[in-house]
Amino acid sequence: MKKDIVMLITDTSIKSIILENIIKDGFIPYLVCISQAPEFLKHTVTQIILIIIDTDKSITELTPFLTLYNNAIEYKSIPLIITTSNWQEEESYLNYSVWDFIAKPIKNCVFQLRVKNAIQHSNFTLTDKLLYLSNYDPVSGIYNKRHFFAVTRKLLNDHPNKNFAIFYFDIQRFRLINAFFWKA
């Protein structure tokens, strides 16, 4: 399924029309009020490429949604950008894992670049995470068995005239350590 929805959470439709016109470049903008945002996000999470909250309300009014966004693992890869004239709360917004904070007035070209960067970064981080998980042990951070053999094979093939030493050691009862510390 193609991710092409930009979810616009707003407190007035006039400002949202401006934002909607800015981001129409191949994306489908959906205007949603903050009260409907959790339900809309839940049903369209696989299609949403970006969330933009355009508001001048206090962060306390957005806290339930921001807490949901921050705590749900399935939302972590969706960039969230806040646009507001309430720049005093920037740090508070960023504490909720907001990807970017844009103070108003918004310059169209700057906004478009920030949207583009957030989307590219979200795709990049997902790919990096998958690559890391396929090659490394999540507990120890060292190569997994398959990746270790692939890297070793390449090293030996690239340097056939070099001597190498491989150290092998066994940690007694590592299974207990793994069971206790494994949080991945």
Side-chain angles (χ1 to χ4, degrees), residues 123-136 144 146:
N123 292 335
F124 180 71
T125 56
L126 277 178
T127 304
D128 282 351
K129 285 177 189 174
L130 289 173
L131 183 62
Y132 179 83
L133 290 172
S134 72
N135 291 325
Y136 293 87
N144 62 24
R146 182 193 54 75

Side-chain angles (χ1 to χ4, degrees), residues 152-166:
T152 303
R153 191 174 307 109
K154 181 174 177 1
L155 186 66
L156 293 171
N157 289 339
D158 289 350
H159 306 283
N161 298 326
K162 265 194 166 182
N163 293 324
F164 293 95
I166 295 179

Side-chain angles (χ1 to χ4, degrees), residues 24-181:
K24 278 192 174 173
D25 300 330
F27 300 116
I28 303 168
Y30 275 86
L31 299 176
V32 181
C33 68
I34 192 66
S35 62
Q36 298 168 336
E39 194 65 23
F40 182 81
L41 182 59
K42 179 177 150 186
H43 292 295
T44 57
V45 66
T46 58
Q47 299 168 304
I48 294 177
I49 195 162
L50 175 68
I51 300 169
I52 298 171
I53 299 179
D54 176 40
T55 187
D56 289 325
K57 292 182 178 179
S58 169
I59 192 169
T60 54
E61 296 181 48
L62 299 172
T63 298
F65 178 79
L66 293 172
T67 302
L68 171 75
Y69 170 83
N70 197 40
N71 294 333
I73 190 119
E74 61 270 25
Y75 305 149
K76 292 287 184 197
S77 64
I78 303 173
L80 172 60
I81 297 174
I82 302 283
T83 63
T84 185
S85 55
N86 193 356
W87 57 268
Q88 296 91 343
E89 294 186 334
E90 178 179 13
E91 185 177 340
S92 299
Y93 281 117
L94 294 174
N95 282 328
Y96 279 102
S97 302
V98 170
W99 288 45
D100 203 351
F101 180 90
I102 305 172
K104 294 178 182 174
I106 301 169
K107 293 181 180 177
N108 286 359
C109 61
V110 171
F111 184 79
Q112 287 176 328
L113 288 171
R114 286 184 161 180
V115 165
K116 180 181 168 190
N117 289 341
I119 291 169
Q120 285 177 342
H121 182 71
S122 70
N123 292 335
F124 180 71
T125 56
L126 277 178
T127 304
D128 282 351
K129 285 177 189 174
L130 289 173
L131 183 62
Y132 179 83
L133 290 172
S134 72
N135 291 325
Y136 293 87
D137 176 74
V139 176
S140 65
I142 62 174
Y143 292 154
N144 62 24
K145 183 178 177 180
R146 182 193 54 75
H147 191 61
F148 173 78
F149 284 131
V151 169
T152 303
R153 191 174 307 109
K154 181 174 177 1
L155 186 66
L156 293 171
N157 289 339
D158 289 350
H159 306 283
N161 298 326
K162 265 194 166 182
N163 293 324
F164 293 95
I166 295 179
F167 294 93
Y168 172 83
F169 57 94
D170 188 16
I171 299 174
Q172 295 277 333
R173 296 178 186 70
F174 186 72
R175 187 175 297 170
L176 292 173
I177 295 168
N178 205 14
F180 183 75
F181 288 106

